[in-house]
Amino acid sequence: MITDDDYLYYVDRALNGMAGIVAGLGDQLANARPPFPGANSPYALLTHCLGVVSYWAGQLVAGREVTRDRDAEFAGTGLVGPLLDEVAVVRGRLADDVRAAVPGARLRGAPPAAFLGPDRELTQGAALLHVYEELAQHHGQMEILRDAILAGRPAGERP
């Protein structure tokens, strides 16, 4: 079995990667959407990932009340600085939640079907794996978004 530190190492790699992309793009480009149907902006995707972590680890594993508007996460826009501050806050809470989790224990609630999580009953450990799954897949997606956004800009307008 992996340790809490091993788990957090890989989660941090995904979060750091996404935060680095958003920071590197800056306020304007981080909020840009590439010209693909239904594409998200890097800012919105990172906002969604923070919602995933807060809900799945904070509410379902740790038992904190979390108010989440999943649809609004994908419409999120704003300045990069405050979003990166929120990444640090969420990362700190996640570390505490992981260290307090009982991997084989039941969740402290049932996720709504609309949240598109795994379609089976989960343990706290499985919910934490779902958090990592979401962060890893969205990190890769954000790398593609960044490349598409930058490919559409003249070289002189790229960060």
Side-chain angles (χ1 to χ4, degrees):
M1 189 50 100
I2 65 170
T3 66
D4 295 348
D5 288 337
D6 290 338
Y7 175 82
L8 291 167
Y9 170 79
Y10 285 102
V11 166
D12 282 346
R13 282 178 48 142
L15 279 172
N16 288 340
M18 288 186 283
I21 289 169
V22 168
L25 289 172
D27 292 329
Q28 180 182 0
L29 293 179
N31 286 284
R33 293 176 187 267
F36 309 133
N40 296 301
S41 72
Y43 185 101
L45 199 56
L46 183 52
T47 299
H48 167 64
C49 287
L50 296 178
V52 167
V53 172
S54 295
Y55 179 77
W56 286 85
Q59 183 160 326
L60 297 179
V61 173
R64 274 192 313 281
E65 183 68 31
V66 173
T67 301
R68 181 178 184 208
D69 183 345
R70 185 179 183 278
D71 292 337
E73 293 165 6
F74 292 106
T77 61
L79 300 175
V80 167
L83 182 62
L84 298 179
D85 291 343
E86 183 65 15
V87 169
V89 169
V90 168
R91 180 186 287 120
R93 281 194 309 251
L94 176 61
D96 293 341
D97 294 343
V98 167
R99 294 185 199 297
V102 179
R106 295 176 55 114
L107 295 180
R108 297 174 189 255
F115 281 11
L116 305 176
D119 60 354
R120 57 180 278 237
E121 191 170 322
L122 300 178
T123 62
Q124 290 181 21
L128 291 173
L129 284 176
H130 177 61
V131 168
Y132 172 71
E133 171 190 40
E134 288 286 311
L135 295 178
Q137 76 176 348
H138 287 315
H139 179 211
Q141 181 184 8
M142 193 182 294
E143 289 174 325
I144 294 168
L145 289 173
R146 175 203 54 212
D147 294 349
I149 289 167
L150 292 178
R153 311 286 296 183
E157 294 180 25
R158 296 180 188 174

